[in-house]
């Protein structure tokens, strides 16, 4: 298959292991087999313009596959153990002929794990870094980047285990990893009559753990010429393999708009709704029509780009832990933002649904559409603010920060966007001084509104109650490390709030029974969510997507609180707690063992992803509180050090 710049792609097939040379100039393939399968591979390579090297025993010197190949090398006498199963001899031929991939056919070494391992030790042809990933699936599961031999061995272990757990198939691919690319894919649609279309591109570069988080269509990066070239090659691939149905051809695109074939997903992609939004096609309907045998109803010239669409994947995850470790629980309250114009929500859950450790943590796909990108992003911002999810942690704070970040708004993105923008991990929205004052004024007004509501009675009480005529309050609000004196006065249906010596006007309908509150501060409208409160004045408010913890007290109560002792923080350096709910896959230590800082202690699997838990310091193991097969919750104690 030809891709940009004349590069070619080839696959090394081994039943246990697949080595994929998709991003390196590829000219020569060695066939580690004989007979009809060797002839079959050589014929295919000739069509692809790839030179071939045949190996043979001495008695096969005049075999058909030997004559067909561009080069042929004898690897030993007739006994298979001395020829076609002779790994040392075959490895020498690979080095001597500078073959860049191996096709083992079937039988012989095709399912030999040791042969696969030796080929991986030889992948210096690729050069580091490399991507190790599951051949049978996607979604970031069974995928690791390795920068050296040690990371490759570790990546092989974790990736093969995740692949087996997620897809029932532990085969892997290794491919050259291109640092800092864009991930752009082409949607194709083909029928059983030889017709195929490309339905424009999807930009999928915002990823965490190699799994897409935010997608959009079209891409800000592609010009019409590059879009057409990528589309034509995607269609050529579909036709070459006689593909029929909807499918996706994925590419990596560098800063010079060179694009490199990554893989083809022969299924419906998670992010297909953004394509449906800008083309007007129902891809599921088209798949059903094609399966029934109908020809495509459209021509390439009929496929438009109308407007812009953005999709955010809403996950039950804690984005403050490695950009999203799984969260489990029951959705105690759930309300989709369908009242926002041009919003689509694809979900399979409802209020009361359980999010478990056993399946993918996706809650929904949130899609917004606009006549242009700015409009689609503004609607997404509004939709995220109006999305009510209670009972599990979720990643709305991260999604909102991504779509409003200046780099994303300008289209300056790559697959490394998240680690580049948040090198120390995601910390939530960083308030400006103005936003801080807005939040403090809103929280103080909400507190007073609740105080006033608690003084109202329905009906006529039997005992007359004196009505409070109080119209001003002096409060102390703690936010983060700061304590702020705040004065609130009621002015008709609004509040006048003094923060930092500045007065702000706060208005709202103050429907405290609603999970959503629309509040206007000095003319700026915000949609907030008050998530919790208690008698100690502690309250949690979702503001600009991020949840902030505040403590709101009267001035007198704040003075008295100084005399209350604070609970000492736990020393976490000597203990290892599970950062997420999951199942213990392996425990690598026992009491009395000495461990080094950074050494693996155990492995936790959650939602088919394996996570290595490491020691925070060097020390001796005091106690182990888990074993392989145990189910653990977030915060459960796993191991103690002396």
């Amino acid at each position: 298959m030809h891709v940009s710049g004349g590069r070619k792609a080839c696959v090394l097939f081994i039943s246990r292991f697949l080595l994929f040379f998709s991003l390196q100039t590829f000219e020569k393939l060695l066939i580690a087999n004989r007979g009809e399968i060797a002839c079959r591979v050589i014929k295919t390579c000739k069509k692809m313009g790839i030179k071939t090297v045949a190996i043979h025993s001495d008695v096969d010197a005049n075999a058909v596959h030997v004559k067909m190949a561009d080069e042929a090398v004898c690897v030993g006498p007739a006994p298979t153990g001395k020829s076609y199963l002779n790994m040392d001899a075959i490895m020498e031929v690979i080095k001597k002929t500078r073959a860049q991939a191996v096709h083992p056919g079937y039988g012989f070494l095709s399912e030999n794990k040791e042969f696969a391992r030796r080929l991986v030790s030889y992948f210096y042809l690729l050069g580091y870094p490399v991507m190790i990933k599951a051949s049978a699936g996607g979604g970031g599961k069974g995928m690791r980047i390795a920068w050296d031999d040690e990371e490759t061995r570790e990546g092989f272990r974790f990736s093969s285990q995740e692949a087996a757990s997620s897809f029932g198939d532990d085969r892997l691919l290794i491919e050259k990893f291109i640092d800092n690319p864009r991930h752009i894919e082409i949607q194709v649609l083909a029928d059983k009559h030889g017709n195929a279309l490309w339905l424009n591109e999807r930009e999928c570069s915002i990823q965490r753990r190699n799994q897409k988080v935010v997608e959009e269509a079209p891409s800000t990066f592609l010009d019409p010429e590059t879009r057409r070239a990528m589309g034509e090659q995607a269609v050529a691939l579909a036709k070459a393999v006689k593909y029929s149905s909807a499918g996706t051809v994925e590419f990596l695109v560098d800063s010079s708009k060179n694009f490199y074939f990554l893989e083809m997903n022969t299924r419906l992609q998670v992010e297909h709704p953004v394509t449906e939004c800008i083309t007007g096609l129902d891809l599921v309907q088209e798949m059903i029509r094609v399966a029934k045998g109908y020809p495509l109803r459209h021509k390439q010239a009929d496929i438009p780009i109308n407007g812009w669409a953005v999709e955010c994947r809403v996950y039950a995850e804690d984005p403050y832990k490695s950009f999203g470790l799984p969260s489990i629980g029951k959705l105690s309250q759930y309300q989709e933002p369908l009242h926002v114009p041009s919003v689509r929500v694809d979900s399979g859950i409802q209020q009361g649904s359980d999010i478990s450790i056993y399946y993918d943590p996706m809650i929904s796909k949130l899609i917004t559409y606009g006549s242009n990108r700015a409009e689609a992003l503004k609607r997404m911002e509004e939709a995220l603010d109006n999305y009510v999810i209670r009972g599990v942690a979720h990643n709305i704070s991260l999604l909102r920060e991504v779509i409003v970040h200046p780099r994303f708004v300008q289209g300056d993105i790559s697959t490394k966007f998240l680690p580049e923008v948040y090198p120390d991990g995601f910390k939530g929205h960083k308030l400006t001084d103005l936003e801080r004052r807005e939040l403090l004024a809103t929280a103080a007004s909400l507190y007073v509104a609740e105080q006033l509501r608690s003084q109202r009675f329905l009906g006529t009480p039997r005992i007359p109650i004196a009505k409070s005529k109080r119209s001003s309050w002096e409060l102390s609000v703690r936010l983060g490390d700061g304590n702020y004196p705040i004065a609130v006065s009621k002015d008709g249906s609004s509040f006048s709030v003094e923060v930092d010596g500045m007065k702000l006007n706060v208005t709202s309908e103050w429907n405290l029974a609603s999970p959503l509150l629309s509040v206007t501060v000095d003319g700026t409208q915000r949609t907030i969510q008050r998530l919790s409160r208690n008698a100690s004045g502690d309250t949690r408010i979702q503001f600009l997507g991020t949840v902030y913890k505040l403590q709101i007290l009267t001035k007198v109560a704040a003075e008295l609180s100084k005399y209350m002792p604070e609970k000492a923080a736990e020393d976490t350096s000597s203990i290892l707690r599970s950062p997420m709910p999951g199942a213990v896959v392996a425990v690598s230590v026992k009491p009395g063992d000495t461990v080094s800082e950074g050494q693996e202690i155990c492995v936790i699997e959650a939602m088919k992803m394996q996570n290595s838990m490491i020691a925070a310091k060097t020390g001796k193991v005091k106690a182990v509180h888990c074993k392989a097969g145990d189910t653990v919750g977030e915060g459960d104690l796993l191991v103690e050090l002396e």
Side-chain angles (χ1 to χ4, degrees):
M1 180 190 313
H2 292 272
V3 293
S4 179
R7 292 173 172 82
K8 299 166 186 172
C10 181
V11 181
L12 162 98
F13 288 91
I14 296 181
S15 297
R16 174 98 169 78
F17 201 87
L18 295 169
L19 189 55
F20 192 79
F21 293 82
S22 62
L23 301 175
Q24 174 163 321
T25 301
F26 179 78
E27 302 293 342
K28 188 182 293 186
L29 178 142
L30 182 142
I31 300 94
N33 217 299
R34 65 181 300 280
E36 57 86 16
I37 184 59
C39 294
R40 168 73 174 82
V41 174
I42 293 170
K43 287 179 182 177
T44 299
C45 287
K46 287 185 179 298
K47 292 179 182 178
M48 298 173 69
I50 299 171
K51 292 183 178 180
T52 52
V53 179
I55 61 168
H56 62 89
S57 65
D58 54 6
V59 298
D60 271 347
N62 294 314
V64 174
H65 78 282
V66 174
K67 295 178 179 179
M68 289 177 63
D70 296 292
E71 299 178 53
V73 180
C74 181
V75 289
T80 57
K82 297 181 179 180
S83 53
Y84 294 103
L85 293 177
N86 188 341
M87 281 187 268
D88 289 338
I90 294 173
M91 292 302 297
E92 283 302 312
V93 175
I94 293 171
K95 297 174 185 177
K96 179 181 177 181
T97 61
R98 297 185 179 181
Q100 294 159 302
V102 176
H103 196 309
Y106 46 74
F108 293 140
L109 295 173
S110 64
E111 299 184 59
N112 189 294
K113 183 178 178 180
E114 175 62 17
F115 187 48
R117 188 195 65 77
R118 293 184 65 172
L119 286 169
V120 173
S121 299
Y122 187 69
F123 65 58
Y124 291 106
L125 285 170
L126 285 174
Y128 286 112
V130 295
M131 175 71 81
I132 305 169
K133 64 182 183 181
S135 67
K141 296 179 178 65
M143 188 176 291
R144 294 288 191 282
I145 299 169
W147 296 81
D148 54 37
D149 289 354
E150 183 177 351
E151 290 186 3
T152 300
R153 285 189 289 270
E154 184 179 81
F156 180 91
R157 176 166 67 98
F158 282 125
S159 293
S160 58
Q161 290 171 357
E162 287 179 3
S165 176
S166 299
F167 314 115
D169 185 340
D170 64 356
R171 292 181 298 174
L172 302 175
L173 303 172
I174 285 188
E175 63 190 24
K176 177 67 177 176
F177 175 69
I178 291 189
D179 201 17
N180 219 33
R182 285 176 178 259
H183 185 137
I184 300 177
E185 60 192 28
I186 299 292
Q187 177 72 58
V188 296
L189 183 63
D191 62 21
K192 298 177 181 179
H193 304 276
N195 304 307
L197 304 172
W198 49 275
L199 309 181
N200 304 310
E201 79 278 5
R202 293 188 291 259
E203 172 70 75
C204 306
S205 297
I206 306 298
Q207 303 179 4
R208 59 98 178 88
R209 296 197 300 276
N210 304 303
Q211 188 175 39
K212 302 160 189 172
V213 179
V214 179
E215 301 103 343
E216 61 182 308
S219 168
T220 61
F221 188 64
L222 295 190
D223 52 56
E225 292 75 20
T226 307
R227 176 179 296 116
R228 182 172 58 254
M230 293 175 70
E232 289 174 350
Q233 291 203 22
V235 164
L237 170 58
K239 288 184 175 181
V241 296
K242 295 181 172 58
Y243 184 72
S244 63
S245 191
T248 298
V249 181
E250 299 193 350
F251 296 92
L252 295 180
V253 184
D254 65 21
S255 58
S256 300
K257 293 188 173 65
N258 296 311
F259 55 91
Y260 308 86
F261 171 73
L262 187 59
E263 64 184 7
M264 182 176 184
N265 289 316
T266 54
R267 55 177 168 82
L268 196 65
Q269 294 278 87
V270 172
E271 58 274 17
H272 74 272
V274 292
T275 297
E276 293 182 329
C277 286
I278 67 166
T279 62
L281 273 67
D282 183 326
L283 291 180
V284 174
Q285 182 183 29
E286 296 300 329
M287 292 175 76
I288 295 172
R289 284 179 50 82
V290 167
K292 185 66 175 176
Y294 292 111
L296 297 181
R297 296 178 291 179
H298 306 279
K299 303 296 183 183
Q300 191 62 57
D302 301 331
I303 306 303
I305 298 181
N306 287 331
W308 213 283
V310 180
E311 175 181 290
C312 285
R313 300 192 188 190
V314 181
Y315 286 106
E317 293 180 336
D318 184 348
Y320 299 92
K321 297 177 179 178
S322 301
F323 297 111
L325 291 184
S327 172
I328 64 171
K330 185 183 291 290
L331 290 171
S332 58
Q333 194 168 13
Y334 182 75
Q335 182 176 306
E336 296 174 347
L338 296 175
H339 60 284
V340 178
S342 300
V343 166
R344 168 179 168 180
V345 182
D346 287 9
S347 65
I349 49 89
Q350 60 185 1
Q351 188 164 304
S353 293
D354 286 309
I355 306 295
S356 76
I357 66 172
Y358 301 107
Y359 305 110
D360 190 90
M362 181 183 287
I363 294 174
S364 73
K365 300 179 300 188
L366 178 62
I367 305 103
T368 58
Y369 174 77
S371 59
N372 53 51
R373 188 170 186 258
E375 188 174 73
L377 289 176
K378 189 64 180 176
R379 286 175 176 164
M380 179 60 74
E381 186 180 340
E382 184 180 358
L384 290 168
D385 284 342
N386 282 270
Y387 208 147
V388 178
I389 303 172
R390 310 280 172 86
V392 296
H394 55 74
N395 66 333
I396 281 179
S397 56
L398 174 63
L399 296 172
R400 196 184 190 284
E401 283 301 290
V402 167
I403 65 165
V404 301
H405 193 279
R407 272 189 56 181
F408 182 84
V409 173
Q410 295 165 12
D412 178 18
I413 61 175
S414 74
T415 56
K416 295 181 70 175
F417 177 88
L418 289 180
E420 286 178 353
V421 172
Y422 308 107
D424 299 319
F426 180 66
K427 308 296 184 184
H429 180 71
K430 185 177 180 180
L431 294 168
T432 65
D433 287 342
L434 175 60
E435 291 168 347
R436 175 180 55 82
R437 288 192 293 269
E438 287 181 358
L439 175 57
L440 291 170
T442 298
S445 299
L446 181 57
Y447 172 87
V448 172
E450 288 176 322
Q451 295 297 309
L452 293 174
R453 186 181 70 163
S454 68
Q455 298 171 7
R456 293 199 297 266
F457 290 85
L458 295 177
T460 304
R462 298 174 66 182
I463 301 174
I465 297 176
K467 294 184 178 180
S468 173
K469 296 186 178 181
R470 186 177 181 183
S471 61
S472 62
W473 294 259
E474 288 188 313
L475 305 175
S476 176
V477 181
R478 184 172 66 190
L479 173 62
D481 296 327
N483 283 285
Y484 304 91
I486 296 178
V488 182
S489 59
K490 193 172 188 306
D491 184 12
S493 61
S494 63
F495 294 102
S496 178
V497 185
E498 185 174 336
V499 184
D500 295 344
M502 302 178 65
K503 287 192 174 182
L504 294 86
N505 181 264
V506 182
T507 60
S508 175
E509 293 183 0
W510 301 115
N511 179 5
L512 303 181
S514 171
L516 298 170
L517 283 173
S518 177
V519 180
T520 302
V521 182
D522 280 356
T524 300
Q525 188 276 333
R526 306 284 192 194
T527 299
I528 69 164
Q529 300 184 38
R530 203 269 307 278
L531 305 181
S532 65
R533 67 185 178 99
N534 61 28
S536 299
D538 298 322
T539 186
R540 295 166 61 244
I541 294 177
Q542 183 173 311
F543 177 77
L544 300 177
T546 294
V547 177
Y548 295 93
K549 298 178 181 179
L550 304 96
Q551 186 181 50
I552 308 172
L553 300 172
T554 64
K555 184 178 180 180
V556 174
E559 288 293 328
L560 295 174
S561 69
K562 297 176 182 178
Y563 302 101
M564 298 294 289
E566 293 188 5
K567 182 179 179 181
E570 182 181 47
D571 179 13
T572 58
S573 64
S574 298
I575 60 174
L576 178 64
R577 292 188 181 276
S578 179
M580 62 196 159
V584 179
V585 175
V587 179
S588 307
V589 298
K590 62 182 182 299
D593 287 355
T594 299
V595 296
S596 307
E597 180 180 351
Q599 180 179 332
E600 181 178 287
I601 300 294
C602 61
V603 177
I604 305 292
E605 179 178 277
M607 298 171 180
K608 306 302 182 183
M609 298 291 288
Q610 294 194 356
N611 301 271
S612 177
M613 305 290 104
I614 61 174
K617 68 175 185 180
T618 299
K620 182 177 287 186
V621 176
K622 177 181 178 182
V624 177
H625 299 279
C626 63
K627 62 182 183 300
D630 285 354
T631 298
V632 296
E634 181 179 355
D636 283 2
L637 183 61
L638 303 175
V639 175
E640 293 180 83
L641 301 182
E642 293 181 353

